Amino acid sequence: MLNAKQIAETFFDRVASHDNAVADLFAPDIQWNLPGDNSYDHNEPVDTNSALSALFRHLWPNGAPAESRALGTRLMISDRQVALFGQISEKSSGTSKRKIHDVAFHLIIENGAIRHLHMYEDVLAAIVAFDLMDHGPAIAAE
């Protein structure tokens, strides 16, 4: 069984490379909170790895996995609590723009699996970098 450090590092590498096998690291009753529109946040157990993999396919539709990678991590571990700080470099397949995301994760690891995940990210910086902001009608300054 992997220890908390190994699980956290494997998790981050898989997230950064958009590897759906990240779902294999999760406890069956994982609880998470991810930035965004929250339509995919789960407070109820997701009972299959296929459902988790489908979630990640939903989250990563525009990235080019071969061009997404972890740049560095810092871990703080206390018993089953892990604070993971790092950067993910991604290149959007739609726009070919590269963005480096600063991310932080709070993980709770129990019995060799991630039981709780909370991700923190500068979502506005990602929206601007990938030019995803809806451009409404320009309003003239008075």
Side-chain angles (χ1 to χ4, degrees), residues 42-119:
H42 291 273
N43 291 319
E44 298 177 13
V46 176
D47 57 5
T48 66
N49 280 352
S50 62
L52 290 169
S53 292
L55 167 74
F56 285 102
R57 280 192 302 277
H58 168 74
L59 294 176
W60 297 325
N62 298 320
E67 297 187 49
S68 179
R69 62 188 176 275
L71 296 179
T73 59
R74 297 287 185 266
L75 293 171
M76 295 185 335
I77 302 172
S78 176
D79 190 27
R80 62 190 189 107
Q81 305 272 341
V82 176
L84 186 154
F85 305 91
Q87 292 183 319
I88 297 173
S89 172
E90 292 184 287
K91 184 175 180 183
S92 170
S93 58
T95 65
S96 296
K97 292 184 179 183
R98 180 160 299 280
K99 166 65 178 141
I100 296 176
H101 301 272
D102 293 313
V103 294
F105 295 93
H106 171 225
L107 307 174
I108 297 175
I109 298 174
E110 294 177 348
N111 302 317
I114 299 171
R115 168 72 175 83
H116 173 83
L117 164 91
H118 194 132
M119 179 181 175

